[in-house]
Amino acid sequence: MRTATTVEGSGGDFRRTVELVVEAEKLGMDAVFVAEAWGSDAPSVLGYLAARTERITLGSGIVQVGTRTPVAIAQAALTLADMSEGRFVLGLGPSGPQVLEGLHGVPFARPLTRTRETIAVIRQAFAGEKIALDGETVHIPLPGGEGRPMRLSTAPNPDIPIYLATLSPRMLRLTGETADGWLGTSFVPEGAAAYFGPLDEGLTAAGRTRADLDVCQGAEVAFAADEDELHGMVAERKQGLAFSLGGMGSASTNFYNEAYSRQGWAEVAAEVRERWQAGDRAGAAGLVTDEMVLGTTLIGTEDMVRARLRVWRDAGVDTVRLYPAGDTLDARLTTLGRALDLVREIGRSDAR
């Protein structure tokens, strides 16, 4: 497996984030993705990281479709690919109604069509073609105006990979059809069919196979000395999972809740959401089971994490995106180093 992590530019200590990435590169990590969400923008951070790193792949994780025009996204991607000397990966995702409508004032309607049409325009721009698409959500040039199709003045770069962060079956099928990689989350290897079924349908429809798609899955990694410490670590993380199940998205749309539901926790996920929406945060967290936390993370003793990494690999994960636990930079780097050593150990044992 390849290794990656995700960082944000916001949070009050940008220099520490940069140091984490620089040190992660020295530790041998393959890629870093920069999140956007409702914090700092991703391209600005990636431009800075391009100047501070030499080898590591840099990706947006993610630029949210609808917050910029497709051509603006393509321009940023081409610029970052040039600045990083070919180390850039464009990660895109549909986001959700709260961020799109509540923060950006952009309709969330038709996210599948908008994503498909955005990718079509971006690939035209990457190829150096004249940009023109009269779609259902994207109209370039604007109909009825004075504009004519144009091509960007930058050099073409059709080889920039496009990764999609998707969760719903329809968006997963689109990922299989059109993307070079999948940025997944809320992943339980034992329930992987909920993801890989639609992904494979899309791959087949496009005449592709799983080898054409980098399955990049993310999870927190943390090491416990023993079962007692592990129990406390799991308990601490239930509030965060309850927020994902109950507070992410809008009152009627929560893709994380739906993803957990498709992987076998429909009843619990619904109850957690109901409690959270009613304002009972503690009650919502109390419904989250140990199994739900452990199933979607890489938390445990070293032996447990090693075994879990093998399960992820065997389930079809190509790149494991590690979110290292720790209260300080040194602690996070220590956790990250231990996890990278385990991934390499697994690779060496498989090669023998």
mmCIF file of all heavy atoms in Angstrom, residues 305-346:
data_model
loop_
_atom_site.group_PDB
_atom_site.id
_atom_site.type_symbol
_atom_site.label_atom_id
_atom_site.label_comp_id
_atom_site.label_asym_id
_atom_site.label_seq_id
_atom_site.Cartn_x
_atom_site.Cartn_y
_atom_site.Cartn_z
ATOM 1 N N VAL A 305 -3.394 -2.804 15.028
ATOM 2 C CA VAL A 305 -3.284 -1.904 13.882
ATOM 3 C C VAL A 305 -2.626 -2.628 12.710
ATOM 4 O O VAL A 305 -3.053 -2.489 11.553
ATOM 5 C CB VAL A 305 -2.493 -0.636 14.262
ATOM 6 C CG1 VAL A 305 -2.245 0.229 13.024
ATOM 7 C CG2 VAL A 305 -3.237 0.167 15.321
ATOM 8 N N ARG A 306 -1.596 -3.418 12.997
ATOM 9 C CA ARG A 306 -0.943 -4.190 11.940
ATOM 10 C C ARG A 306 -1.950 -5.121 11.260
ATOM 11 O O ARG A 306 -2.026 -5.184 10.020
ATOM 12 C CB ARG A 306 0.205 -5.004 12.512
ATOM 13 C CG ARG A 306 0.947 -5.846 11.448
ATOM 14 C CD ARG A 306 1.978 -6.775 12.076
ATOM 15 N NE ARG A 306 3.082 -6.051 12.682
ATOM 16 C CZ ARG A 306 3.266 -5.917 13.992
ATOM 17 N NH1 ARG A 306 2.381 -6.458 14.848
ATOM 18 N NH2 ARG A 306 4.296 -5.257 14.466
ATOM 19 N N ALA A 307 -2.719 -5.842 12.067
ATOM 20 C CA ALA A 307 -3.711 -6.773 11.520
ATOM 21 C C ALA A 307 -4.784 -6.027 10.735
ATOM 22 O O ALA A 307 -5.238 -6.486 9.678
ATOM 23 C CB ALA A 307 -4.343 -7.586 12.645
ATOM 24 N N ARG A 308 -5.169 -4.859 11.238
ATOM 25 C CA ARG A 308 -6.219 -4.089 10.570
ATOM 26 C C ARG A 308 -5.729 -3.542 9.229
ATOM 27 O O ARG A 308 -6.483 -3.496 8.255
ATOM 28 C CB ARG A 308 -6.640 -2.948 11.481
ATOM 29 C CG ARG A 308 -8.038 -2.437 11.237
ATOM 30 C CD ARG A 308 -9.055 -3.472 11.549
ATOM 31 N NE ARG A 308 -10.384 -3.017 11.120
ATOM 32 C CZ ARG A 308 -11.355 -3.813 10.759
ATOM 33 N NH1 ARG A 308 -11.174 -5.117 10.757
ATOM 34 N NH2 ARG A 308 -12.520 -3.333 10.383
ATOM 35 N N LEU A 309 -4.481 -3.130 9.163
ATOM 36 C CA LEU A 309 -3.917 -2.677 7.898
ATOM 37 C C LEU A 309 -3.939 -3.786 6.852
ATOM 38 O O LEU A 309 -4.209 -3.543 5.672
ATOM 39 C CB LEU A 309 -2.484 -2.178 8.099
ATOM 40 C CG LEU A 309 -2.334 -0.784 8.729
ATOM 41 C CD1 LEU A 309 -0.885 -0.551 9.160
ATOM 42 C CD2 LEU A 309 -2.786 0.311 7.763
ATOM 43 N N ARG A 310 -3.671 -5.008 7.272
ATOM 44 C CA ARG A 310 -3.743 -6.138 6.344
ATOM 45 C C ARG A 310 -5.173 -6.333 5.835
ATOM 46 O O ARG A 310 -5.393 -6.616 4.659
ATOM 47 C CB ARG A 310 -3.256 -7.419 7.028
ATOM 48 C CG ARG A 310 -1.757 -7.454 7.282
ATOM 49 C CD ARG A 310 -1.358 -8.828 7.836
ATOM 50 N NE ARG A 310 0.045 -8.881 8.169
ATOM 51 C CZ ARG A 310 1.024 -9.116 7.286
ATOM 52 N NH1 ARG A 310 0.716 -9.326 6.014
ATOM 53 N NH2 ARG A 310 2.291 -9.147 7.672
ATOM 54 N N VAL A 311 -6.133 -6.166 6.732
ATOM 55 C CA VAL A 311 -7.535 -6.306 6.333
ATOM 56 C C VAL A 311 -7.895 -5.239 5.304
ATOM 57 O O VAL A 311 -8.569 -5.519 4.303
ATOM 58 C CB VAL A 311 -8.458 -6.222 7.568
ATOM 59 C CG1 VAL A 311 -9.924 -6.145 7.146
ATOM 60 C CG2 VAL A 311 -8.246 -7.419 8.486
ATOM 61 N N TRP A 312 -7.457 -4.012 5.528
ATOM 62 C CA TRP A 312 -7.724 -2.927 4.577
ATOM 63 C C TRP A 312 -7.105 -3.240 3.226
ATOM 64 O O TRP A 312 -7.737 -3.073 2.187
ATOM 65 C CB TRP A 312 -7.165 -1.611 5.126
ATOM 66 C CG TRP A 312 -8.065 -0.944 6.119
ATOM 67 C CD1 TRP A 312 -8.704 -1.528 7.173
ATOM 68 C CD2 TRP A 312 -8.426 0.432 6.148
ATOM 69 N NE1 TRP A 312 -9.430 -0.600 7.867
ATOM 70 C CE2 TRP A 312 -9.270 0.624 7.261
ATOM 71 C CE3 TRP A 312 -8.085 1.530 5.365
ATOM 72 C CZ2 TRP A 312 -9.808 1.848 7.581
ATOM 73 C CZ3 TRP A 312 -8.615 2.764 5.689
ATOM 74 C CH2 TRP A 312 -9.468 2.929 6.787
ATOM 75 N N ARG A 313 -5.842 -3.678 3.253
ATOM 76 C CA ARG A 313 -5.172 -4.013 1.998
ATOM 77 C C ARG A 313 -5.905 -5.129 1.268
ATOM 78 O O ARG A 313 -6.144 -5.046 0.058
ATOM 79 C CB ARG A 313 -3.732 -4.429 2.280
ATOM 80 C CG ARG A 313 -2.932 -4.818 1.046
ATOM 81 C CD ARG A 313 -1.867 -5.822 1.377
ATOM 82 N NE ARG A 313 -2.427 -7.003 2.043
ATOM 83 C CZ ARG A 313 -1.694 -7.917 2.656
ATOM 84 N NH1 ARG A 313 -0.388 -7.786 2.720
ATOM 85 N NH2 ARG A 313 -2.263 -8.973 3.215
ATOM 86 N N ASP A 314 -6.265 -6.171 2.003
ATOM 87 C CA ASP A 314 -6.932 -7.315 1.376
ATOM 88 C C ASP A 314 -8.321 -6.948 0.851
ATOM 89 O O ASP A 314 -8.831 -7.581 -0.078
ATOM 90 C CB ASP A 314 -7.037 -8.475 2.368
ATOM 91 C CG ASP A 314 -5.680 -9.053 2.731
ATOM 92 O OD1 ASP A 314 -4.697 -8.775 2.009
ATOM 93 O OD2 ASP A 314 -5.592 -9.771 3.756
ATOM 94 N N ALA A 315 -8.931 -5.918 1.449
ATOM 95 C CA ALA A 315 -10.256 -5.478 0.989
ATOM 96 C C ALA A 315 -10.176 -4.704 -0.321
ATOM 97 O O ALA A 315 -11.195 -4.511 -0.989
ATOM 98 C CB ALA A 315 -10.924 -4.621 2.055
ATOM 99 N N GLY A 316 -8.962 -4.228 -0.686
ATOM 100 C CA GLY A 316 -8.816 -3.512 -1.940
ATOM 101 C C GLY A 316 -8.323 -2.091 -1.828
ATOM 102 O O GLY A 316 -8.378 -1.332 -2.804
ATOM 103 N N VAL A 317 -7.820 -1.704 -0.653
ATOM 104 C CA VAL A 317 -7.300 -0.350 -0.472
ATOM 105 C C VAL A 317 -5.893 -0.272 -1.053
ATOM 106 O O VAL A 317 -5.009 -1.053 -0.687
ATOM 107 C CB VAL A 317 -7.285 0.047 1.016
ATOM 108 C CG1 VAL A 317 -6.607 1.403 1.205
ATOM 109 C CG2 VAL A 317 -8.709 0.086 1.564
ATOM 110 N N ASP A 318 -5.675 0.682 -1.963
ATOM 111 C CA ASP A 318 -4.366 0.877 -2.581
ATOM 112 C C ASP A 318 -3.513 1.876 -1.813
ATOM 113 O O ASP A 318 -2.298 1.711 -1.691
ATOM 114 C CB ASP A 318 -4.532 1.381 -4.018
ATOM 115 C CG ASP A 318 -5.319 0.422 -4.890
ATOM 116 O OD1 ASP A 318 -4.918 -0.746 -4.985
ATOM 117 O OD2 ASP A 318 -6.357 0.840 -5.451
ATOM 118 N N THR A 319 -4.150 2.935 -1.318
ATOM 119 C CA THR A 319 -3.453 3.986 -0.576
ATOM 120 C C THR A 319 -4.193 4.217 0.734
ATOM 121 O O THR A 319 -5.394 4.491 0.719
ATOM 122 C CB THR A 319 -3.404 5.304 -1.370
ATOM 123 O OG1 THR A 319 -2.752 5.075 -2.631
ATOM 124 C CG2 THR A 319 -2.651 6.376 -0.607
ATOM 125 N N VAL A 320 -3.490 4.095 1.844
ATOM 126 C CA VAL A 320 -4.108 4.329 3.145
ATOM 127 C C VAL A 320 -3.765 5.754 3.589
ATOM 128 O O VAL A 320 -2.603 6.145 3.637
ATOM 129 C CB VAL A 320 -3.665 3.286 4.199
ATOM 130 C CG1 VAL A 320 -2.152 3.264 4.364
ATOM 131 C CG2 VAL A 320 -4.356 3.547 5.531
ATOM 132 N N ARG A 321 -4.812 6.536 3.840
ATOM 133 C CA ARG A 321 -4.668 7.937 4.237
ATOM 134 C C ARG A 321 -4.730 7.997 5.759
ATOM 135 O O ARG A 321 -5.789 7.795 6.350
ATOM 136 C CB ARG A 321 -5.791 8.760 3.585
ATOM 137 C CG ARG A 321 -5.448 10.182 3.279
ATOM 138 C CD ARG A 321 -6.418 10.805 2.277
ATOM 139 N NE ARG A 321 -7.766 10.918 2.786
ATOM 140 C CZ ARG A 321 -8.784 10.175 2.365
ATOM 141 N NH1 ARG A 321 -8.603 9.236 1.470
ATOM 142 N NH2 ARG A 321 -9.985 10.364 2.873
ATOM 143 N N LEU A 322 -3.606 8.261 6.386
ATOM 144 C CA LEU A 322 -3.464 8.162 7.833
ATOM 145 C C LEU A 322 -3.660 9.525 8.494
ATOM 146 O O LEU A 322 -3.022 10.499 8.111
ATOM 147 C CB LEU A 322 -2.075 7.622 8.185
ATOM 148 C CG LEU A 322 -1.719 6.254 7.579
ATOM 149 C CD1 LEU A 322 -0.216 6.029 7.640
ATOM 150 C CD2 LEU A 322 -2.477 5.144 8.305
ATOM 151 N N TYR A 323 -4.536 9.575 9.507
ATOM 152 C CA TYR A 323 -4.717 10.780 10.309
ATOM 153 C C TYR A 323 -4.102 10.493 11.680
ATOM 154 O O TYR A 323 -4.754 9.894 12.549
ATOM 155 C CB TYR A 323 -6.189 11.132 10.469
ATOM 156 C CG TYR A 323 -6.972 11.188 9.178
ATOM 157 C CD1 TYR A 323 -8.299 10.777 9.129
ATOM 158 C CD2 TYR A 323 -6.390 11.653 7.999
ATOM 159 C CE1 TYR A 323 -9.030 10.835 7.952
ATOM 160 C CE2 TYR A 323 -7.107 11.713 6.821
ATOM 161 C CZ TYR A 323 -8.423 11.306 6.805
ATOM 162 O OH TYR A 323 -9.138 11.351 5.631
ATOM 163 N N PRO A 324 -2.841 10.875 11.911
ATOM 164 C CA PRO A 324 -2.161 10.474 13.147
ATOM 165 C C PRO A 324 -2.666 11.219 14.369
ATOM 166 O O PRO A 324 -2.791 12.449 14.356
ATOM 167 C CB PRO A 324 -0.696 10.805 12.855
ATOM 168 C CG PRO A 324 -0.761 11.928 11.861
ATOM 169 C CD PRO A 324 -1.969 11.658 11.013
ATOM 170 N N ALA A 325 -2.958 10.474 15.431
ATOM 171 C CA ALA A 325 -3.396 11.070 16.685
ATOM 172 C C ALA A 325 -2.206 11.640 17.436
ATOM 173 O O ALA A 325 -1.067 11.221 17.244
ATOM 174 C CB ALA A 325 -4.098 10.018 17.535
ATOM 175 N N GLY A 326 -2.480 12.614 18.289
ATOM 176 C CA GLY A 326 -1.435 13.204 19.119
ATOM 177 C C GLY A 326 -1.767 14.629 19.479
ATOM 178 O O GLY A 326 -2.307 15.372 18.651
ATOM 179 N N ASP A 327 -1.425 15.034 20.712
ATOM 180 C CA ASP A 327 -1.714 16.394 21.167
ATOM 181 C C ASP A 327 -0.652 17.394 20.743
ATOM 182 O O ASP A 327 -0.883 18.606 20.784
ATOM 183 C CB ASP A 327 -1.833 16.414 22.696
ATOM 184 C CG ASP A 327 -3.020 15.597 23.196
ATOM 185 O OD1 ASP A 327 -4.031 15.528 22.471
ATOM 186 O OD2 ASP A 327 -2.920 15.031 24.299
ATOM 187 N N THR A 328 0.525 16.905 20.352
ATOM 188 C CA THR A 328 1.605 17.775 19.920
ATOM 189 C C THR A 328 2.106 17.316 18.555
ATOM 190 O O THR A 328 1.810 16.204 18.113
ATOM 191 C CB THR A 328 2.774 17.750 20.911
ATOM 192 O OG1 THR A 328 3.357 16.432 20.914
ATOM 193 C CG2 THR A 328 2.307 18.108 22.322
ATOM 194 N N LEU A 329 2.898 18.167 17.915
ATOM 195 C CA LEU A 329 3.467 17.794 16.623
ATOM 196 C C LEU A 329 4.351 16.567 16.770
ATOM 197 O O LEU A 329 4.284 15.642 15.952
ATOM 198 C CB LEU A 329 4.262 18.966 16.050
ATOM 199 C CG LEU A 329 5.011 18.691 14.738
ATOM 200 C CD1 LEU A 329 4.043 18.311 13.631
ATOM 201 C CD2 LEU A 329 5.839 19.902 14.338
ATOM 202 N N ASP A 330 5.181 16.546 17.799
ATOM 203 C CA ASP A 330 6.061 15.391 18.007
ATOM 204 C C ASP A 330 5.261 14.114 18.204
ATOM 205 O O ASP A 330 5.634 13.050 17.680
ATOM 206 C CB ASP A 330 6.975 15.625 19.215
ATOM 207 C CG ASP A 330 8.085 16.618 18.923
ATOM 208 O OD1 ASP A 330 8.331 16.887 17.731
ATOM 209 O OD2 ASP A 330 8.698 17.128 19.885
ATOM 210 N N ALA A 331 4.164 14.212 18.949
ATOM 211 C CA ALA A 331 3.340 13.025 19.188
ATOM 212 C C ALA A 331 2.703 12.533 17.894
ATOM 213 O O ALA A 331 2.653 11.324 17.630
ATOM 214 C CB ALA A 331 2.268 13.332 20.231
ATOM 215 N N ARG A 332 2.227 13.453 17.082
ATOM 216 C CA ARG A 332 1.612 13.062 15.811
ATOM 217 C C ARG A 332 2.641 12.436 14.872
ATOM 218 O O ARG A 332 2.353 11.449 14.198
ATOM 219 C CB ARG A 332 0.965 14.279 15.153
ATOM 220 C CG ARG A 332 -0.229 14.833 15.918
ATOM 221 C CD ARG A 332 -0.850 16.001 15.185
ATOM 222 N NE ARG A 332 -1.498 15.571 13.954
ATOM 223 C CZ ARG A 332 -1.846 16.386 12.973
ATOM 224 N NH1 ARG A 332 -1.578 17.681 13.063
ATOM 225 N NH2 ARG A 332 -2.436 15.924 11.907
ATOM 226 N N LEU A 333 3.840 13.005 14.849
ATOM 227 C CA LEU A 333 4.875 12.453 13.986
ATOM 228 C C LEU A 333 5.337 11.079 14.476
ATOM 229 O O LEU A 333 5.642 10.190 13.674
ATOM 230 C CB LEU A 333 6.064 13.414 13.911
ATOM 231 C CG LEU A 333 5.839 14.666 13.071
ATOM 232 C CD1 LEU A 333 6.971 15.658 13.253
ATOM 233 C CD2 LEU A 333 5.671 14.307 11.594
ATOM 234 N N THR A 334 5.367 10.895 15.794
ATOM 235 C CA THR A 334 5.719 9.577 16.337
ATOM 236 C C THR A 334 4.680 8.539 15.933
ATOM 237 O O THR A 334 5.016 7.435 15.493
ATOM 238 C CB THR A 334 5.831 9.648 17.872
ATOM 239 O OG1 THR A 334 6.892 10.546 18.226
ATOM 240 C CG2 THR A 334 6.129 8.267 18.456
ATOM 241 N N THR A 335 3.402 8.904 16.050
ATOM 242 C CA THR A 335 2.326 7.998 15.632
ATOM 243 C C THR A 335 2.425 7.699 14.139
ATOM 244 O O THR A 335 2.298 6.549 13.708
ATOM 245 C CB THR A 335 0.956 8.628 15.946
ATOM 246 O OG1 THR A 335 0.845 8.846 17.352
ATOM 247 C CG2 THR A 335 -0.174 7.718 15.485
ATOM 248 N N LEU A 336 2.666 8.742 13.362
ATOM 249 C CA LEU A 336 2.763 8.570 11.919
ATOM 250 C C LEU A 336 3.935 7.669 11.553
ATOM 251 O O LEU A 336 3.811 6.776 10.704
ATOM 252 C CB LEU A 336 2.915 9.934 11.248
ATOM 253 C CG LEU A 336 2.908 9.968 9.719
ATOM 254 C CD1 LEU A 336 1.608 9.395 9.181
ATOM 255 C CD2 LEU A 336 3.113 11.395 9.222
ATOM 256 N N GLY A 337 5.073 7.877 12.192
ATOM 257 C CA GLY A 337 6.233 7.047 11.916
ATOM 258 C C GLY A 337 5.990 5.583 12.225
ATOM 259 O O GLY A 337 6.392 4.695 11.453
ATOM 260 N N ARG A 338 5.317 5.307 13.340
ATOM 261 C CA ARG A 338 4.994 3.914 13.690
ATOM 262 C C ARG A 338 4.075 3.290 12.656
ATOM 263 O O ARG A 338 4.249 2.135 12.263
ATOM 264 C CB ARG A 338 4.346 3.857 15.073
ATOM 265 C CG ARG A 338 5.266 4.185 16.226
ATOM 266 C CD ARG A 338 4.540 4.135 17.555
ATOM 267 N NE ARG A 338 4.169 2.763 17.930
ATOM 268 C CZ ARG A 338 3.503 2.464 19.050
ATOM 269 N NH1 ARG A 338 3.134 3.437 19.888
ATOM 270 N NH2 ARG A 338 3.205 1.211 19.335
ATOM 271 N N ALA A 339 3.087 4.061 12.199
ATOM 272 C CA ALA A 339 2.148 3.536 11.203
ATOM 273 C C ALA A 339 2.844 3.275 9.872
ATOM 274 O O ALA A 339 2.602 2.242 9.219
ATOM 275 C CB ALA A 339 0.992 4.512 11.016
ATOM 276 N N LEU A 340 3.711 4.184 9.452
ATOM 277 C CA LEU A 340 4.439 3.987 8.204
ATOM 278 C C LEU A 340 5.332 2.748 8.281
ATOM 279 O O LEU A 340 5.454 1.991 7.311
ATOM 280 C CB LEU A 340 5.278 5.220 7.886
ATOM 281 C CG LEU A 340 4.512 6.502 7.523
ATOM 282 C CD1 LEU A 340 5.470 7.677 7.377
ATOM 283 C CD2 LEU A 340 3.708 6.316 6.250
ATOM 284 N N ASP A 341 5.945 2.535 9.436
ATOM 285 C CA ASP A 341 6.773 1.341 9.612
ATOM 286 C C ASP A 341 5.940 0.068 9.453
ATOM 287 O O ASP A 341 6.400 -0.913 8.856
ATOM 288 C CB ASP A 341 7.432 1.359 10.989
ATOM 289 C CG ASP A 341 8.603 2.341 11.072
ATOM 290 O OD1 ASP A 341 9.084 2.764 10.006
ATOM 291 O OD2 ASP A 341 8.999 2.685 12.206
ATOM 292 N N LEU A 342 4.723 0.081 9.974
ATOM 293 C CA LEU A 342 3.861 -1.103 9.852
ATOM 294 C C LEU A 342 3.471 -1.352 8.400
ATOM 295 O O LEU A 342 3.445 -2.499 7.948
ATOM 296 C CB LEU A 342 2.612 -0.931 10.716
ATOM 297 C CG LEU A 342 2.808 -0.989 12.227
ATOM 298 C CD1 LEU A 342 1.463 -0.795 12.940
ATOM 299 C CD2 LEU A 342 3.439 -2.293 12.653
ATOM 300 N N VAL A 343 3.147 -0.285 7.662
ATOM 301 C CA VAL A 343 2.790 -0.450 6.255
ATOM 302 C C VAL A 343 3.972 -1.032 5.486
ATOM 303 O O VAL A 343 3.814 -1.950 4.661
ATOM 304 C CB VAL A 343 2.346 0.892 5.641
ATOM 305 C CG1 VAL A 343 2.127 0.754 4.131
ATOM 306 C CG2 VAL A 343 1.062 1.389 6.305
ATOM 307 N N ARG A 344 5.163 -0.516 5.755
ATOM 308 C CA ARG A 344 6.356 -1.041 5.077
ATOM 309 C C ARG A 344 6.632 -2.486 5.478
ATOM 310 O O ARG A 344 7.033 -3.312 4.644
ATOM 311 C CB ARG A 344 7.557 -0.146 5.381
ATOM 312 C CG ARG A 344 7.557 1.166 4.617
ATOM 313 C CD ARG A 344 8.866 1.898 4.755
ATOM 314 N NE ARG A 344 8.980 2.556 6.049
ATOM 315 C CZ ARG A 344 8.721 3.843 6.259
ATOM 316 N NH1 ARG A 344 8.333 4.612 5.253
ATOM 317 N NH2 ARG A 344 8.871 4.379 7.452
ATOM 318 N N GLU A 345 6.411 -2.809 6.749
ATOM 319 C CA GLU A 345 6.613 -4.180 7.222
ATOM 320 C C GLU A 345 5.689 -5.153 6.488
ATOM 321 O O GLU A 345 6.112 -6.239 6.074
ATOM 322 C CB GLU A 345 6.356 -4.240 8.728
ATOM 323 C CG GLU A 345 6.465 -5.628 9.338
ATOM 324 C CD GLU A 345 6.024 -5.626 10.796
ATOM 325 O OE1 GLU A 345 6.341 -4.650 11.523
ATOM 326 O OE2 GLU A 345 5.341 -6.594 11.212
ATOM 327 N N ILE A 346 4.451 -4.740 6.311
ATOM 328 C CA ILE A 346 3.491 -5.579 5.593
ATOM 329 C C ILE A 346 3.933 -5.767 4.153
ATOM 330 O O ILE A 346 3.869 -6.855 3.586
ATOM 331 C CB ILE A 346 2.083 -4.957 5.664
ATOM 332 C CG1 ILE A 346 1.547 -5.022 7.102
ATOM 333 C CG2 ILE A 346 1.120 -5.656 4.708
ATOM 334 C CD1 ILE A 346 0.288 -4.219 7.315
#
